[in-house]
mmCIF file of all heavy atoms in Angstrom:
data_model
loop_
_atom_site.group_PDB
_atom_site.id
_atom_site.type_symbol
_atom_site.label_atom_id
_atom_site.label_comp_id
_atom_site.label_asym_id
_atom_site.label_seq_id
_atom_site.Cartn_x
_atom_site.Cartn_y
_atom_site.Cartn_z
ATOM 1 N N ALA L 1 115.302 149.349 54.123
ATOM 2 C CA ALA L 1 115.898 148.024 53.944
ATOM 3 C C ALA L 1 116.175 147.349 55.275
ATOM 4 O O ALA L 1 116.075 146.123 55.391
ATOM 5 C CB ALA L 1 117.190 148.127 53.132
ATOM 6 N N VAL L 2 116.530 148.148 56.286
ATOM 7 C CA VAL L 2 116.745 147.585 57.622
ATOM 8 C C VAL L 2 115.412 147.112 58.192
ATOM 9 O O VAL L 2 115.321 146.031 58.774
ATOM 10 C CB VAL L 2 117.409 148.623 58.556
ATOM 11 C CG1 VAL L 2 117.494 148.081 59.986
ATOM 12 C CG2 VAL L 2 118.804 148.980 58.049
ATOM 13 N N GLN L 3 114.372 147.916 57.995
ATOM 14 C CA GLN L 3 113.050 147.492 58.461
ATOM 15 C C GLN L 3 112.656 146.151 57.846
ATOM 16 O O GLN L 3 112.116 145.280 58.519
ATOM 17 C CB GLN L 3 112.000 148.543 58.083
ATOM 18 C CG GLN L 3 112.147 149.875 58.786
ATOM 19 C CD GLN L 3 111.029 150.830 58.419
ATOM 20 O OE1 GLN L 3 109.875 150.450 58.305
ATOM 21 N NE2 GLN L 3 111.373 152.094 58.210
ATOM 22 N N GLY L 4 112.935 146.000 56.552
ATOM 23 C CA GLY L 4 112.548 144.780 55.867
ATOM 24 C C GLY L 4 113.252 143.543 56.381
ATOM 25 O O GLY L 4 112.751 142.422 56.193
ATOM 26 N N ARG L 5 114.426 143.725 57.029
ATOM 27 C CA ARG L 5 115.168 142.580 57.559
ATOM 28 C C ARG L 5 114.851 142.303 59.022
ATOM 29 O O ARG L 5 115.357 141.316 59.579
ATOM 30 C CB ARG L 5 116.677 142.811 57.392
ATOM 31 C CG ARG L 5 117.126 142.808 55.943
ATOM 32 C CD ARG L 5 118.638 142.679 55.846
ATOM 33 N NE ARG L 5 119.337 143.789 56.474
ATOM 34 C CZ ARG L 5 119.639 144.935 55.844
ATOM 35 N NH1 ARG L 5 119.281 145.112 54.582
ATOM 36 N NH2 ARG L 5 120.288 145.892 56.476
ATOM 37 N N LEU L 6 114.053 143.144 59.647
ATOM 38 C CA LEU L 6 113.731 142.914 61.059
ATOM 39 C C LEU L 6 112.870 141.660 61.191
ATOM 40 O O LEU L 6 111.861 141.512 60.495
ATOM 41 C CB LEU L 6 113.002 144.120 61.644
ATOM 42 C CG LEU L 6 113.804 145.417 61.712
ATOM 43 C CD1 LEU L 6 112.955 146.533 62.311
ATOM 44 C CD2 LEU L 6 115.086 145.238 62.526
ATOM 45 N N PRO L 7 113.233 140.758 62.082
ATOM 46 C CA PRO L 7 112.535 139.468 62.175
ATOM 47 C C PRO L 7 111.029 139.577 62.376
ATOM 48 O O PRO L 7 110.273 138.817 61.759
ATOM 49 C CB PRO L 7 113.211 138.794 63.378
ATOM 50 C CG PRO L 7 114.586 139.375 63.405
ATOM 51 C CD PRO L 7 114.416 140.807 62.970
ATOM 52 N N LEU L 8 110.591 140.517 63.185
ATOM 53 C CA LEU L 8 109.158 140.605 63.453
ATOM 54 C C LEU L 8 108.395 141.067 62.211
ATOM 55 O O LEU L 8 107.271 140.624 61.961
ATOM 56 C CB LEU L 8 108.882 141.557 64.618
ATOM 57 C CG LEU L 8 107.504 141.453 65.268
ATOM 58 C CD1 LEU L 8 107.317 140.103 65.934
ATOM 59 C CD2 LEU L 8 107.285 142.565 66.282
ATOM 60 N N LEU L 9 108.999 141.930 61.415
ATOM 61 C CA LEU L 9 108.333 142.437 60.222
ATOM 62 C C LEU L 9 108.445 141.465 59.059
ATOM 63 O O LEU L 9 107.576 141.423 58.192
ATOM 64 C CB LEU L 9 108.931 143.791 59.820
ATOM 65 C CG LEU L 9 108.866 144.882 60.886
ATOM 66 C CD1 LEU L 9 109.341 146.208 60.317
ATOM 67 C CD2 LEU L 9 107.464 145.025 61.448
ATOM 68 N N ALA L 10 109.526 140.694 59.017
ATOM 69 C CA ALA L 10 109.735 139.752 57.919
ATOM 70 C C ALA L 10 109.024 138.422 58.143
ATOM 71 O O ALA L 10 108.912 137.618 57.224
ATOM 72 C CB ALA L 10 111.236 139.500 57.737
ATOM 73 N N ALA L 11 108.542 138.203 59.351
ATOM 74 C CA ALA L 11 108.008 136.878 59.702
ATOM 75 C C ALA L 11 106.663 136.574 59.069
ATOM 76 O O ALA L 11 106.299 135.419 58.882
ATOM 77 C CB ALA L 11 107.896 136.750 61.217
ATOM 78 N N GLY L 12 105.889 137.602 58.726
ATOM 79 C CA GLY L 12 104.523 137.346 58.279
ATOM 80 C C GLY L 12 103.621 137.134 59.489
ATOM 81 O O GLY L 12 103.849 137.706 60.551
ATOM 82 N N ARG L 13 102.647 136.293 59.385
ATOM 83 C CA ARG L 13 101.726 136.040 60.505
ATOM 84 C C ARG L 13 102.434 135.237 61.591
ATOM 85 O O ARG L 13 103.121 134.260 61.316
ATOM 86 C CB ARG L 13 100.496 135.279 60.015
ATOM 87 C CG ARG L 13 99.427 135.101 61.084
ATOM 88 C CD ARG L 13 98.200 134.429 60.488
ATOM 89 N NE ARG L 13 97.209 134.128 61.499
ATOM 90 C CZ ARG L 13 96.300 134.989 61.949
ATOM 91 N NH1 ARG L 13 96.268 136.203 61.458
ATOM 92 N NH2 ARG L 13 95.417 134.633 62.871
ATOM 93 N N LEU L 14 102.263 135.667 62.834
ATOM 94 C CA LEU L 14 102.924 135.053 63.974
ATOM 95 C C LEU L 14 101.936 134.324 64.873
ATOM 96 O O LEU L 14 100.753 134.665 64.929
ATOM 97 C CB LEU L 14 103.618 136.129 64.830
ATOM 98 C CG LEU L 14 104.793 136.894 64.231
ATOM 99 C CD1 LEU L 14 105.049 138.143 65.064
ATOM 100 C CD2 LEU L 14 106.030 136.016 64.213
ATOM 101 N N THR L 15 102.436 133.345 65.585
ATOM 102 C CA THR L 15 101.724 132.791 66.731
ATOM 103 C C THR L 15 102.521 133.153 67.967
ATOM 104 O O THR L 15 103.732 132.931 68.021
ATOM 105 C CB THR L 15 101.604 131.257 66.639
ATOM 106 O OG1 THR L 15 100.841 130.915 65.473
ATOM 107 C CG2 THR L 15 100.889 130.708 67.866
ATOM 108 N N VAL L 16 101.853 133.750 68.934
ATOM 109 C CA VAL L 16 102.500 134.125 70.197
ATOM 110 C C VAL L 16 101.965 133.200 71.277
ATOM 111 O O VAL L 16 100.770 133.227 71.592
ATOM 112 C CB VAL L 16 102.233 135.593 70.563
ATOM 113 C CG1 VAL L 16 102.951 135.954 71.865
ATOM 114 C CG2 VAL L 16 102.685 136.519 69.434
ATOM 115 N N ALA L 17 102.838 132.370 71.823
ATOM 116 C CA ALA L 17 102.438 131.449 72.887
ATOM 117 C C ALA L 17 102.626 132.140 74.232
ATOM 118 O O ALA L 17 103.712 132.622 74.546
ATOM 119 C CB ALA L 17 103.279 130.177 72.826
ATOM 120 N N ALA L 18 101.563 132.215 74.992
ATOM 121 C CA ALA L 18 101.613 132.734 76.361
ATOM 122 C C ALA L 18 101.557 131.529 77.293
ATOM 123 O O ALA L 18 100.530 130.852 77.374
ATOM 124 C CB ALA L 18 100.452 133.688 76.622
ATOM 125 N N VAL L 19 102.667 131.258 77.959
ATOM 126 C CA VAL L 19 102.832 130.009 78.689
ATOM 127 C C VAL L 19 102.935 130.286 80.179
ATOM 128 O O VAL L 19 103.857 130.967 80.640
ATOM 129 C CB VAL L 19 104.097 129.254 78.209
ATOM 130 C CG1 VAL L 19 104.177 127.893 78.880
ATOM 131 C CG2 VAL L 19 104.093 129.115 76.691
ATOM 132 N N GLY L 20 102.011 129.743 80.929
ATOM 133 C CA GLY L 20 102.013 129.925 82.366
ATOM 134 C C GLY L 20 102.718 128.777 83.069
ATOM 135 O O GLY L 20 102.168 127.684 83.195
ATOM 136 N N ALA L 21 103.959 129.026 83.485
ATOM 137 C CA ALA L 21 104.668 128.105 84.373
ATOM 138 C C ALA L 21 104.782 128.855 85.697
ATOM 139 O O ALA L 21 103.845 129.538 86.092
ATOM 140 C CB ALA L 21 106.030 127.744 83.779
ATOM 141 N N ARG L 22 105.917 128.747 86.382
ATOM 142 C CA ARG L 22 106.093 129.597 87.560
ATOM 143 C C ARG L 22 106.202 131.055 87.123
ATOM 144 O O ARG L 22 105.740 131.970 87.789
ATOM 145 C CB ARG L 22 107.350 129.176 88.338
ATOM 146 C CG ARG L 22 107.617 130.015 89.575
ATOM 147 C CD ARG L 22 108.647 129.355 90.472
ATOM 148 N NE ARG L 22 108.875 130.109 91.687
ATOM 149 C CZ ARG L 22 109.497 129.629 92.760
ATOM 150 N NH1 ARG L 22 109.937 128.381 92.763
ATOM 151 N NH2 ARG L 22 109.678 130.379 93.818
ATOM 152 N N ASN L 23 106.865 131.260 85.969
ATOM 153 C CA ASN L 23 106.911 132.560 85.323
ATOM 154 C C ASN L 23 105.952 132.554 84.143
ATOM 155 O O ASN L 23 105.476 131.504 83.711
ATOM 156 C CB ASN L 23 108.336 132.852 84.821
ATOM 157 C CG ASN L 23 109.339 132.905 85.943
ATOM 158 O OD1 ASN L 23 109.413 133.873 86.697
ATOM 159 N ND2 ASN L 23 110.139 131.844 86.074
ATOM 160 N N LEU L 24 105.699 133.730 83.599
ATOM 161 C CA LEU L 24 104.913 133.843 82.376
ATOM 162 C C LEU L 24 105.881 134.005 81.211
ATOM 163 O O LEU L 24 106.657 134.960 81.158
ATOM 164 C CB LEU L 24 103.973 135.043 82.452
ATOM 165 C CG LEU L 24 103.187 135.341 81.173
ATOM 166 C CD1 LEU L 24 102.250 134.192 80.827
ATOM 167 C CD2 LEU L 24 102.406 136.655 81.314
ATOM 168 N N HIS L 25 105.839 133.062 80.285
ATOM 169 C CA HIS L 25 106.684 133.096 79.092
ATOM 170 C C HIS L 25 105.836 133.548 77.917
ATOM 171 O O HIS L 25 104.763 132.987 77.667
ATOM 172 C CB HIS L 25 107.275 131.721 78.804
ATOM 173 C CG HIS L 25 108.224 131.238 79.844
ATOM 174 N ND1 HIS L 25 109.596 131.221 79.660
ATOM 175 C CD2 HIS L 25 108.004 130.761 81.106
ATOM 176 C CE1 HIS L 25 110.181 130.754 80.754
ATOM 177 N NE2 HIS L 25 109.236 130.456 81.641
ATOM 178 N N VAL L 26 106.310 134.548 77.215
ATOM 179 C CA VAL L 26 105.632 135.049 76.023
ATOM 180 C C VAL L 26 106.608 134.885 74.865
ATOM 181 O O VAL L 26 107.632 135.558 74.806
ATOM 182 C CB VAL L 26 105.231 136.527 76.181
ATOM 183 C CG1 VAL L 26 104.533 137.027 74.914
ATOM 184 C CG2 VAL L 26 104.328 136.705 77.398
ATOM 185 N N LEU L 27 106.327 133.952 73.948
ATOM 186 C CA LEU L 27 107.251 133.692 72.859
ATOM 187 C C LEU L 27 106.538 133.666 71.524
ATOM 188 O O LEU L 27 105.493 133.045 71.378
ATOM 189 C CB LEU L 27 108.017 132.387 73.078
ATOM 190 C CG LEU L 27 107.248 131.108 73.346
ATOM 191 C CD1 LEU L 27 108.031 129.912 72.811
ATOM 192 C CD2 LEU L 27 107.027 130.897 74.841
ATOM 193 N N ALA L 28 107.113 134.384 70.576
ATOM 194 C CA ALA L 28 106.545 134.473 69.229
ATOM 195 C C ALA L 28 107.285 133.530 68.304
ATOM 196 O O ALA L 28 108.512 133.450 68.334
ATOM 197 C CB ALA L 28 106.654 135.905 68.713
ATOM 198 N N THR L 29 106.541 132.825 67.481
ATOM 199 C CA THR L 29 107.129 131.876 66.556
ATOM 200 C C THR L 29 106.387 131.922 65.230
ATOM 201 O O THR L 29 105.215 132.306 65.175
ATOM 202 C CB THR L 29 107.089 130.443 67.128
ATOM 203 O OG1 THR L 29 107.712 129.533 66.212
ATOM 204 C CG2 THR L 29 105.669 129.993 67.392
ATOM 205 N N THR L 30 107.084 131.535 64.166
ATOM 206 C CA THR L 30 106.435 131.383 62.863
ATOM 207 C C THR L 30 105.996 129.942 62.643
ATOM 208 O O THR L 30 105.395 129.626 61.614
ATOM 209 C CB THR L 30 107.390 131.807 61.737
ATOM 210 O OG1 THR L 30 108.597 131.037 61.817
ATOM 211 C CG2 THR L 30 107.732 133.282 61.842
ATOM 212 N N GLU L 31 106.298 129.050 63.589
ATOM 213 C CA GLU L 31 105.919 127.643 63.456
ATOM 214 C C GLU L 31 104.415 127.470 63.677
ATOM 215 O O GLU L 31 103.856 128.045 64.617
ATOM 216 C CB GLU L 31 106.676 126.788 64.475
ATOM 217 C CG GLU L 31 108.180 126.757 64.269
ATOM 218 C CD GLU L 31 108.874 125.902 65.307
ATOM 219 O OE1 GLU L 31 108.258 124.948 65.807
ATOM 220 O OE2 GLU L 31 110.039 126.197 65.627
ATOM 221 N N PRO L 32 103.755 126.684 62.851
ATOM 222 C CA PRO L 32 102.337 126.397 63.099
ATOM 223 C C PRO L 32 102.175 125.502 64.317
ATOM 224 O O PRO L 32 102.955 124.564 64.509
ATOM 225 C CB PRO L 32 101.889 125.686 61.816
ATOM 226 C CG PRO L 32 103.138 125.070 61.271
ATOM 227 C CD PRO L 32 104.262 126.013 61.634
ATOM 228 N N LEU L 33 101.201 125.804 65.137
ATOM 229 C CA LEU L 33 100.957 125.019 66.351
ATOM 230 C C LEU L 33 99.693 124.178 66.252
ATOM 231 O O LEU L 33 99.251 123.603 67.242
ATOM 232 C CB LEU L 33 100.884 125.948 67.568
ATOM 233 C CG LEU L 33 102.131 126.802 67.841
ATOM 234 C CD1 LEU L 33 101.948 127.603 69.128
ATOM 235 C CD2 LEU L 33 103.385 125.955 67.918
ATOM 236 N N GLY L 34 99.127 124.102 65.056
ATOM 237 C CA GLY L 34 97.919 123.302 64.897
ATOM 238 C C GLY L 34 96.702 124.038 65.425
ATOM 239 O O GLY L 34 96.812 125.052 66.109
ATOM 240 N N PRO L 35 95.522 123.532 65.135
ATOM 241 C CA PRO L 35 94.294 124.183 65.612
ATOM 242 C C PRO L 35 94.130 124.004 67.117
ATOM 243 O O PRO L 35 94.626 123.029 67.692
ATOM 244 C CB PRO L 35 93.190 123.446 64.847
ATOM 245 C CG PRO L 35 93.776 122.090 64.583
ATOM 246 C CD PRO L 35 95.245 122.317 64.350
ATOM 247 N N PRO L 36 93.458 124.952 67.779
ATOM 248 C CA PRO L 36 93.209 124.808 69.219
ATOM 249 C C PRO L 36 92.404 123.544 69.507
ATOM 250 O O PRO L 36 91.483 123.202 68.779
ATOM 251 C CB PRO L 36 92.404 126.065 69.574
ATOM 252 C CG PRO L 36 92.698 127.030 68.475
ATOM 253 C CD PRO L 36 92.909 126.199 67.245
ATOM 254 N N ARG L 37 92.775 122.862 70.582
ATOM 255 C CA ARG L 37 92.077 121.649 70.967
ATOM 256 C C ARG L 37 91.712 121.710 72.443
ATOM 257 O O ARG L 37 92.423 122.317 73.238
ATOM 258 C CB ARG L 37 92.944 120.416 70.702
ATOM 259 C CG ARG L 37 93.263 120.178 69.222
ATOM 260 C CD ARG L 37 94.148 118.958 69.037
ATOM 261 N NE ARG L 37 94.487 118.718 67.636
ATOM 262 C CZ ARG L 37 93.713 118.066 66.783
ATOM 263 N NH1 ARG L 37 92.555 117.574 67.201
ATOM 264 N NH2 ARG L 37 94.083 117.889 65.530
ATOM 265 N N GLY L 38 90.640 121.025 72.783
ATOM 266 C CA GLY L 38 90.256 120.920 74.185
ATOM 267 C C GLY L 38 90.078 122.276 74.835
ATOM 268 O O GLY L 38 89.279 123.095 74.394
#
């Protein structure tokens, strides 16, 4: 039951944004980011 409440397991399919600024940001979200462009 604890496993079932863990955010990563309960989220379903994830999008992980790897963002290159001065640092590298790696953030997982359940929000749709639209199809890749350009």
Side-chain angles (χ1 to χ4, degrees):
V2 174
Q3 293 183 40
R5 292 195 298 273
L6 295 180
L8 197 65
L9 302 186
R13 186 176 175 84
L14 294 164
T15 298
V16 181
V19 186
R22 180 166 183 165
N23 298 284
L24 175 63
H25 295 255
V26 180
L27 53 150
T29 182
T30 57
E31 295 180 29
L33 301 184
R37 296 179 181 276

